[in-house]
Every structure is written in structure tokens, then in C-alpha cells.
Amino acid sequence: MDLPPEIQCAIFRHVAREDRLHLVMVNHWVHDIALPLLYETILLPTRKSVIDLEQALFRRPYLSGHVRHILISDRNRDEFHVALPDFIVVWPKTHAARVERRQKIRNWLTDRDKELTKFRTALRHILALVSCKLTTLTLLHYEHSIRSLKDIFAYNYPALEELTIRGDYPPLPNTLHLPKLRRLHLAAGDMPNPWASFSSVTSGCPSLTHLRITEPLSCILSGSVLAHALEVTFGLSKYDPEALAMPFERGKDGLACYPPAPVLPPTLKELRLQPYPPEVSAMGMPYPDHSGMAERLQALQACVKAFKLIPSNNENYVLPYSFDAALRDWEDRMRGGLGCWA
């Protein structure tokens, strides 16, 4: 081809992401030009795909500098449900078979733990390689808990603008430093309680403009407390640490020392909350705590312009922020749409 490589690369950028793999197979010349484009946007839907990418970047570390967008999921396979061996769900009739079953379960748990450890190691290695130029990051955990976010955020993310974390995760660390982050999406966690992470977001994300909280477990466990925490955050209720079940430490004088009231970043333009679908009683009615939370959240939306209440996902509900829903949002965002911010 007579065109210089940089012009050809600019042309190849208009090729759809799913077709770029065919592009690199044209010939050696096109392969060398188009290969970095394959690594700009990466979808890793399973643990195996994460481990495979780690090995690919280990062989060609220069490719990590081309990664700008990445989705990482901890699922074991493409099927929706976690795959369990038959010997776990079937109860043997004889004592000898039950003894054998227990040993099989121990072996299976040991192997699974090794696989998860390998996945976590690969995840850390990938993030260490790509973090410096990463623009968007989506971490979806379905099959195991995120033990610590400190390891994930120990790397430097100077260009990160959008972050989605889905799963059973701890509060965001006090050392959080994402200077260019504008959109943060926290989904399906025991957190995100405003009193647990808002202070870290406020100090660590000075450019944050949009925050979305999707189906936090606190909607089920303590809906009234969640509503009260948001009322306090927006200055509509008086701060009462005990009412919010705030953690505290005792000083030398024996008095309880509570953290300050939760606050939002001054740059924040919008906070979106999508609660769980209401759990209903045997009479088919939502439980009082959920109904009370919903009424308070609706009242909050009516008087606070920055707060947006997203309707619960009541149709064909499977689990909090399922992989299919997350993947649809991510792919739409990669195509230039709004994704979960629509």
C-alpha cells in the first residue's frame, strides 16, 4: 500500500471492533499496523479470558500501552449460572458414598481457590500494565468477593474517566486517587453506603460529575437508613451518627468519636440511585421498610435537582446488575452511547 502507516491506522479505526480480528489476518503489513487497534477496547467475559490476556501481554508487553477501555468479569464460563458439579447438589444414599462426596468437595474447593488466585494475580498484572493510559474500566465480580480494593487502586490511573465496579466489595480506600474520573458506577455491593465511601470519593475524585449506585444491598437490609443517609448528604436531615449506624472509636476519655457527616464532591452534577425490586410478602404487598424507603427517595428527588431515582428492574429480574445488563451498557458506551447513564 502507498499510504503511510499512520494514515492506514486512521482508516482502520473506522472498522467495527468485532471485525478488526479479520483485519489483522490480511497480511503481515496490515497485521503490524492493525494489531494495536485490537487492544484499544478489550472484553474479558470469563476468568480464562483474563488469564489468556495476561499471557499475551507478557509475550508482547508493548501492546499494553494501546489499551484504553477494558471490561473484566470473574465468571467461570459464558453460561449465566455458576457451574456446580453434580456431587455437590446430589445427596448420596450410603455412608461410603457420602464420605467420598466430602472428599470430592474438598478437592473441588481447593482447585477452585487455586483458579481464583490465578485469576486475581492475572487481574493485578493486567491492571499494572494498562493503568497508566486506561480511560474506562469495568470490573464485574459475580462468583467471588473482592477482598480488597487497595490492590486494584494501588496503581496509577492518571487518565481514567469512567469506572464501574460490580460485586461484593469493601468501602473505597482512603488512598483513592483518580484525578480525572468523571463517572463512577457502583453496583450490587454491601457498600455503597454514603457514610462508607463518600468521603473517599470526595477527596480522591476531584473531577467527579456523575455517580450512580445500582441495587445496593442496603436497600434490602436497611432501606430506611439508606434513605436517611442520602437526606443527610443533601442537607435535608440533621446528622445523627447513631441513626446511621456509623462506626466509631473511643478516645482516651472513653467518649465515642464519630467520623464527620457524609458529603459529596462539589463538582458532582448528578447522583443516580436504582433500588432493588421490592420484596413482597405472602399477601403480595411490599414490606413496610421498602415502601417507606421508596416514599422518602421520591420526596428527595422532588426537592433535590441533582438526585435521580431510577425505577427498579421489575421485569425479567435475575440478579443485581446481571452480566447481560452490564455488557449491554458497556457495548453501548463503546459505540458512543450513554450506556448506564442513559
Side-chain angles (χ1 to χ4, degrees), residues 149-215:
L149 291 174
K150 289 184 178 180
D151 291 342
I152 293 175
F153 293 118
Y155 309 111
N156 187 25
Y157 297 91
L160 191 66
E161 297 180 1
E162 294 191 24
L163 171 64
T164 292
I165 304 177
R166 189 272 178 213
D168 183 11
Y169 44 82
L172 297 172
N174 293 329
T175 56
L176 186 70
H177 181 61
L178 303 171
K180 289 192 175 182
L181 190 72
R182 290 179 173 83
R183 296 176 184 262
L184 174 61
H185 182 196
L186 303 171
D190 280 336
M191 204 268 301
N193 294 325
W195 55 92
S197 283
F198 277 11
S199 59
S200 298
V201 170
T202 300
S203 61
C205 306
S207 302
L208 192 70
T209 58
H210 292 72
L211 172 62
R212 172 169 172 166
I213 301 173
T214 299
E215 298 172 333

Side-chain angles (χ1 to χ4, degrees), residues 140 142 163-169 184-193 198 211-220 226 230 271-277 307-313 317 319-323 325-326 329 339-342:
L140 305 175
Y142 295 94
L163 171 64
T164 292
I165 304 177
R166 189 272 178 213
D168 183 11
Y169 44 82
L184 174 61
H185 182 196
L186 303 171
D190 280 336
M191 204 268 301
N193 294 325
F198 277 11
L211 172 62
R212 172 169 172 166
I213 301 173
T214 299
E215 298 172 333
L217 293 183
S218 50
C219 286
I220 296 178
L226 175 64
L230 290 170
L271 189 158
R272 295 185 174 199
L273 173 66
Q274 182 178 32
Y276 264 94
F307 180 69
K308 306 295 182 184
L309 186 61
I310 303 174
S312 300
N313 182 16
Y317 187 76
L319 85 168
Y321 204 53
S322 67
F323 179 79
D329 286 342
C340 69
W341 307 103

